[in-house]
Amino acid sequence: MAITLTVSDDVRDLAPGYTQLVIEAYGLVNGASTEDSSALLDDAARRLAQRLDARAPHEDPHMVAWRTAFSAFGAKPSRTRNSAEALAKRALADGGLPRINLLVDLYNAISVAHLLPVGGEDLDRIQGGMRLIRAVGDEPFGTVAAGEEGVEHPEPGEVVWRDDEGVTCRRWCWRQGVRTRLTEETTNAVFLLEALAPVTGTELEAAAVELVESLEKFSPGARVVVHAPA
């Protein structure tokens, strides 16, 4: 069943240049990271370095736009970086990018190569549609720390992704919750590519094409549906 994603008017007003592209994928094969998925991450780091040309990730115009948006709802962008900036910083560091699992590696590679926030959620764990809203502050957000499960709540006015059960990602595209993350048992997923001006819908589509190619390569026979940027 197709998932619905909506963006509240409050968020649209906060960031008028916001665009998203959604990819649904069914019948995926996930598992531990492989040499091939690791190679994609290494290649993405090389492409990022060429793109930045010795600049820091936060100096890229797209990352500047995200920092402005984070500041607009009260987040401190130097402390809570959007996912693309955080990954880019790790990609350029000596330790390099983390290897999580196959599907996460694939979308992290796209995020780093194109310097876009990209997220993946397990479709079978999403309750109802996904909504990008400004939080009231009482929404539950599941976490795990030191092996112990816990529940946090966003700050009032914080931009979050949520479903019918609670928050799936805090501070827009900063920290994903554990409930809907992609695990090695995931077979159906939704991937979300997000952008602010000056990135265009055409650029989002180019990144999506690359992600679809990887999904189809690593999960032959998967059914992948790409939605137009919105």
Side-chain angles (χ1 to χ4, degrees):
M1 182 182 296
I3 191 170
T4 59
L5 285 87
T6 58
V7 180
S8 73
D9 290 341
D10 287 347
V11 175
R12 293 288 187 192
D13 291 342
L14 183 76
Y18 175 67
T19 308
Q20 60 174 342
L21 187 151
V22 179
I23 300 172
E24 296 175 59
Y26 303 88
L28 296 168
V29 177
N30 201 10
S33 300
T34 66
E35 289 185 5
D36 288 340
S37 70
S38 184
L40 285 177
L41 290 170
D42 289 339
D43 181 63
R46 287 190 290 270
R47 291 167 64 184
L48 173 69
Q50 291 176 343
R51 173 194 179 112
L52 292 174
D53 192 23
R55 293 176 299 161
H58 70 266
E59 297 176 297
D60 181 89
H62 191 210
M63 296 300 96
V64 170
W66 276 105
R67 283 186 164 226
T68 300
F70 271 41
S71 296
F73 66 82
K76 297 185 184 302
S78 60
R79 188 173 65 188
T80 55
R81 297 178 177 86
N82 75 79
S83 61
E85 184 183 327
L87 276 176
K89 187 175 175 65
R90 294 191 69 172
L92 299 175
D94 290 340
L97 288 164
R99 274 59 174 167
I100 307 298
N101 61 51
L102 182 59
L103 290 177
V104 175
D105 289 353
L106 298 187
Y107 79 71
N108 278 350
I110 298 302
S111 176
V112 169
H114 292 267
L115 206 51
L116 295 169
V118 181
E121 306 283 357
D122 190 317
L123 268 173
D124 297 322
R125 296 176 179 271
I126 295 291
Q127 303 298 314
M130 293 178 61
R131 308 184 291 281
L132 186 65
I133 64 164
R134 300 198 70 174
V136 174
D138 61 359
E139 300 89 344
F141 177 72
T143 64
V144 173
E148 296 291 328
E149 294 186 4
V151 175
E152 297 178 356
H153 301 280
E155 298 291 330
E158 180 182 325
V159 176
V160 299
W161 278 103
R162 69 158 300 164
D163 64 2
D164 289 351
E165 189 169 324
V167 173
T168 57
C169 193
R170 285 198 59 188
R171 292 181 186 146
W172 205 324
C173 51
W174 166 64
R175 184 181 174 196
Q176 186 182 32
V178 297
R179 173 171 58 88
T180 58
R181 65 186 176 184
L182 303 184
T183 69
E184 293 187 17
E185 289 71 46
T186 297
T187 57
N188 303 311
V190 58
F191 300 92
L192 179 64
L193 290 70
E194 300 182 272
L196 296 171
V199 171
T200 65
T202 299
E203 291 173 292
L204 269 183
E205 289 175 327
V209 166
E210 203 173 317
L211 179 53
V212 170
E213 289 174 349
S214 290
L215 293 172
E216 293 177 340
K217 174 183 177 181
F218 285 88
S219 295
R223 180 169 67 90
V224 181
V225 180
V226 181
H227 298 271

